[in-house]
Amino acid sequence: MGVDTFMIRAEGLVKRYKEVEALSGLDLAVPEGTVLALLGPNGAGKTTAVRCLTTLLRPDAGRAEINGIDVLGDPQAVRRNIGLSGQYAAVDEHLTGFENLTMVGRLYGFGKQRARERARQLLERFDLADAGDRPSKTYSGGMRRRLDLAGALVAEPPVLILDEPTTGLDPRSRQQMWDVIRELVAGGSTLLLTTQYLEEADRLADDIVVIDHGRAIARGTADQLKAQTGGERVEVVVGSVDDVDRVRSIVAAVAHGEVGVDERTVLAAVDGGPASLARVLEELQREQIHVLDIGLRRPTLDDVFLTLTGRSAEEQSSTTTEEVA
Amino acid sequence: MALPHALTDGWVVAQRNLIKIKRVPEVLVFVLISPIMFVLLFAYVFGGAIDVPGNVDYKEFLVGGIFAQTVVFGATFTGAGLAEDMQKGIIDRFRSLPMSPAAVLVGRTTSDVVYNVLSLIIMALTGLIVGWRVREGVLDMLAGFALLLVFAYAISWVMAWVGLLVPSVEVINNASFIVIMPLTFVSNAFVPTESFGGVLRTFVEWNPVSTLTQACRELFGNTNPAVPTSDAWSMQNPVVYTLGWIVLILLVFVPLSVRQYRLSTSK
């Protein structure tokens, strides 16, 4: 497999909604058999990008290709190459899981028999066999999301595009979804997923593109990104405000970059997490400072944003309009 | 290539809509109660006040009109169903599949034929109870019902287009009434053509709802052949004239609706 075979490719995608520019020249390239995570807060343009790539939305400028096929030029051919699973599960609530999947199969042009077999197979695989004959409105959020993903896989497309596959799921459902996604990648699928969680991107993706205001503001592997944003953080919560200054200087000794202070919390990015934590603990004990909580924390999307843009992801989302669904 | 694709995919979508009728039968109840109400209301409330020329009993006169009015009103259901579909996540699934772009519309208009068949049966039974009779042969009667269904199918494409234009399901009822009210009330459905004068009368004579009603009355034998209703060509040849409208409506509104479906989903 050459590095040049990009299954998903976008160049200069622009999409405007009245005054808001949801995408302002987004470039993406996903090599065959790899996973790209599009990481960003609400309103960053993730869903708009997904909709442009999956023929649901016409970009105002720029071009996109799936498996070498132009999205605007031959949308029907693109649709044969993609499976889409959205943030809002695209299932019919009155239909059973089985009926939903059979319908999708028939719409791909499968015969009745083949559509039914495939539906049963997918229900089995996604742990929905028992619920397969119940209307999907009786399903839990996680089950509905799995059914939606199953719908995207009916025709075994080479490219999968998942828009926030785990947003709103409980930890167990999220773990299940991660397992499924890993299996798909092991099976050779090329995958683009959007997420608000750095942890999710870290676990699933080969490459990460951080998106803000419809534009990529950073890209690289999870490790590169973490290095750029300072990796793990040591967080100390002290019992008394009087101790904050002393703790700050202790943490500063191992910190990588600035030390943040918020009331009684002292926070800083560190290299070599556990060793730094041990040193901080040792110093705290020696100076007999009373600590309420101490720990190592992985950087979150918020930390990435703070480092890259100087403001937190939350501030970010409140200043832009809600992402257009 | 495109047409069979639209029909097979359309049938898959129609089956999906029919499953919903099975799962939420409450919707059906209201669709079927309103025609009963109309038959009873007009037969007993207005029945005594309206004179029909040629010694035809008003209830016999009325039923053909109620049939026509109900199938035209029923088309609103198509518009509402489609407007509702467009707001659901399932549309994203449909749009990301390599299926015919006409399938969602073909499916909706097709499954709504089932509603019309059921409401015609209910109305015919109610009509029989209040005194309506079929006085022509079975074939003529079947032709009358077939004409009603095909006309309803054509009108449902008009409402499909309206359903795609409006921003939400709530708007659809009001939007469609603007079209449907004048069409059904400025017609011979409830009062004889003779009771209109001037321009209004010409409108009534050439209104396809009038000719559909007239065609039904003739096919069911609810007119007095000795007393012609109107000498306008449309009223003299109501079946042919109505069929002409059906073809025209389909030729205009099928492509228009498919285009609108594409536009409204790719904003």
Side-chain angles (χ1 to χ4, degrees):
Chain A
M1 182 187 67
V3 193
D4 296 315
T5 46
F6 291 113
M7 289 299 274
I8 304 172
R9 185 163 206 158
E11 279 165 16
L13 284 184
V14 173
K15 182 70 196 176
R16 287 178 211 97
Y17 294 103
K18 292 181 186 141
E19 281 100 73
V20 187
E21 202 166 61
L23 290 179
S24 346
L26 182 68
D27 299 322
L28 296 172
V30 190
E32 192 174 356
T34 67
V35 182
L36 178 85
L38 204 53
L39 176 70
N42 273 329
K46 301 189 300 295
T47 297
T48 307
V50 163
R51 294 178 73 83
C52 286
L53 290 172
T54 53
T55 77
L56 299 186
L57 202 62
R58 272 188 90 84
D60 295 319
R63 53 193 302 276
E65 270 178 12
I66 301 285
N67 199 5
I69 308 157
D70 191 276
V71 170
L72 291 175
D74 193 353
Q76 282 298 57
V78 166
R79 290 175 193 136
R80 276 189 282 274
N81 279 274
I82 54 167
L84 166 67
S85 180
Q87 197 179 148
Y88 308 99
V91 298
D92 191 306
E93 56 172 13
H94 296 296
L95 266 55
T96 64
F98 176 70
E99 287 164 343
N100 263 295
L101 294 178
T102 310
M103 174 177 74
V104 171
R106 307 273 335 252
L107 292 173
Y108 267 113
F110 290 11
K112 247 183 206 161
Q113 195 55 38
R114 188 171 160 214
R116 286 183 183 156
E117 275 167 19
R118 183 71 181 139
R120 288 283 174 221
Q121 225 176 359
L122 284 166
L123 288 171
E124 197 70 48
R125 171 165 177 198
F126 284 90
D127 209 6
L128 291 168
D130 292 339
D133 293 321
R134 269 181 12 219
S136 65
K137 70 170 170 193
T138 64
Y139 289 14
S140 70
M143 289 163 77
R144 219 176 285 201
R145 215 61 88 76
R146 293 207 301 280
L147 179 61
D148 188 50
L149 182 55
L153 298 178
V154 168
E156 298 177 81
V159 175
L160 286 170
I161 297 184
L162 312 180
D163 191 15
E164 303 204 12
T166 66
T167 300
L169 293 188
D170 59 67
R172 200 178 132 255
S173 303
R174 171 168 300 169
Q175 192 58 54
Q176 263 178 329
M177 194 56 107
W178 283 352
D179 292 343
V180 169
I181 291 171
R182 280 200 199 96
E183 259 177 61
L184 291 171
V185 177
S189 300
T190 304
L191 215 137
L192 182 141
L193 66 92
T194 73
T195 179
Q196 299 188 40
Y197 311 112
L198 184 60
E199 189 195 357
E200 181 163 280
D202 187 8
R203 294 207 182 191
L204 299 175
D206 300 298
D207 285 300
I208 300 174
V209 169
V210 184
I211 174 173
D212 179 33
H213 285 170
R215 178 179 292 125
I217 54 169
R219 49 182 92 216
T221 62
D223 286 339
Q224 287 167 341
L225 210 63
K226 273 191 272 183
Q228 207 179 332
T229 56
E232 284 168 313
R233 274 123 173 90
V234 164
E235 191 178 65
V236 187
V237 182
V238 293
S240 155
V241 192
D242 305 334
D243 294 331
V244 166
D245 283 338
R246 279 157 70 209
V247 174
R248 184 212 286 262
S249 54
I250 293 171
V251 172
V254 294
H256 162 101
E258 236 172 281
V259 180
V261 176
D262 182 16
E263 281 184 54
R264 288 185 298 175
T265 306
V266 178
L267 178 75
V270 295
D271 295 320
S276 303
L277 181 65
R279 267 194 64 192
V280 172
L281 270 172
E282 212 175 289
E283 291 295 316
L284 288 172
Q285 226 157 19
R286 192 200 325 258
E287 301 204 17
Q288 293 188 324
I289 297 172
H290 174 58
V291 169
L292 290 178
D293 187 27
I294 182 164
L296 265 185
R297 195 158 72 60
R298 290 164 166 276
T300 62
L301 174 64
D302 225 34
D303 299 320
V304 173
F305 256 76
L306 211 55
T307 320
L308 292 173
T309 68
R311 47 180 217 290
S312 78
E314 263 158 41
E315 281 169 44
Q316 151 71 16
S317 60
S318 63
T319 56
T320 42
T321 22
E322 268 292 289
E323 187 151 355
V324 184
Chain B
M1 189 60 199
L3 184 64
H5 194 194
L7 295 182
T8 49
D9 287 353
W11 178 236
V12 174
V13 177
Q15 284 175 309
R16 166 228 174 204
N17 298 339
L18 293 176
I19 291 174
K20 184 182 171 183
I21 301 181
K22 208 167 70 185
R23 302 267 150 81
V24 197
E26 292 85 350
V27 181
L28 205 58
V29 173
F30 290 103
V31 171
L32 298 182
I33 282 177
S34 65
I36 299 179
M37 193 192 71
F38 265 107
V39 173
L40 297 178
L41 212 59
F42 275 89
Y44 294 110
V45 178
F46 300 113
I50 300 167
D51 265 335
V52 185
N55 253 342
V56 177
D57 179 58
Y58 182 70
K59 283 163 193 154
E60 295 226 355
F61 171 85
L62 172 74
V63 169
I66 293 277
F67 281 169
Q69 185 243 19
T70 303
V71 295
V72 173
F73 266 73
T76 310
F77 206 67
T78 304
L82 213 50
E84 198 187 336
D85 275 347
M86 297 305 285
Q87 292 175 346
K88 295 220 162 135
I90 190 79
I91 279 290
D92 278 356
R93 170 67 64 220
F94 287 152
R95 293 234 313 127
S96 70
L97 294 176
M99 63 193 264
S100 161
V104 171
L105 304 172
V106 171
R108 176 56 66 183
T109 52
T110 304
S111 59
D112 284 350
V113 172
V114 173
Y115 280 101
N116 281 321
V117 169
L118 289 173
S119 69
L120 283 176
I121 291 172
I122 298 276
M123 276 190 294
L125 292 175
T126 318
L128 288 172
I129 292 167
V130 302
W132 169 68
R133 292 293 177 267
V134 176
R135 299 183 193 281
E136 293 286 336
V138 176
L139 283 183
D140 277 351
M141 180 191 77
L142 290 178
F145 282 120
L147 189 67
L148 282 163
L149 287 175
V150 180
F151 188 80
Y153 185 75
I155 295 288
S156 73
W157 276 94
V158 179
M159 285 303 141
W161 180 67
V162 176
L164 293 170
L165 280 181
V166 299
S168 77
V169 188
E170 289 71 35
V171 186
I172 184 83
N173 283 322
N174 296 321
S176 57
F177 271 28
I178 296 169
V179 185
I180 286 176
M181 283 298 213
L183 270 181
T184 53
F185 284 96
V186 190
S187 81
N188 64 354
F190 306 108
V191 291
T193 319
E194 290 70 25
S195 58
F196 294 94
V199 187
L200 219 50
R201 169 145 183 188
T202 314
F203 180 85
V204 170
E205 283 170 340
W206 295 89
N207 177 350
V209 177
S210 296
T211 59
L212 174 66
T213 304
Q214 183 63 24
C216 288
R217 283 179 186 147
E218 288 179 10
L219 290 166
F220 296 146
N222 299 137
T223 53
N224 183 347
V227 187
T229 39
S230 160
D231 48 14
W233 185 88
S234 54
M235 296 296 274
Q236 289 297 319
N237 305 280
V239 176
V240 178
Y241 180 76
T242 308
L243 284 173
W245 265 100
I246 291 167
V247 172
L248 185 72
I249 291 172
L250 289 175
L251 281 179
V252 172
F253 284 94
V254 171
L256 209 58
S257 304
V258 173
R259 186 176 149 267
Q260 190 59 40
Y261 174 78
R262 283 186 158 148
L263 284 179
S264 51
T265 48
S266 61
K267 260 179 235 156

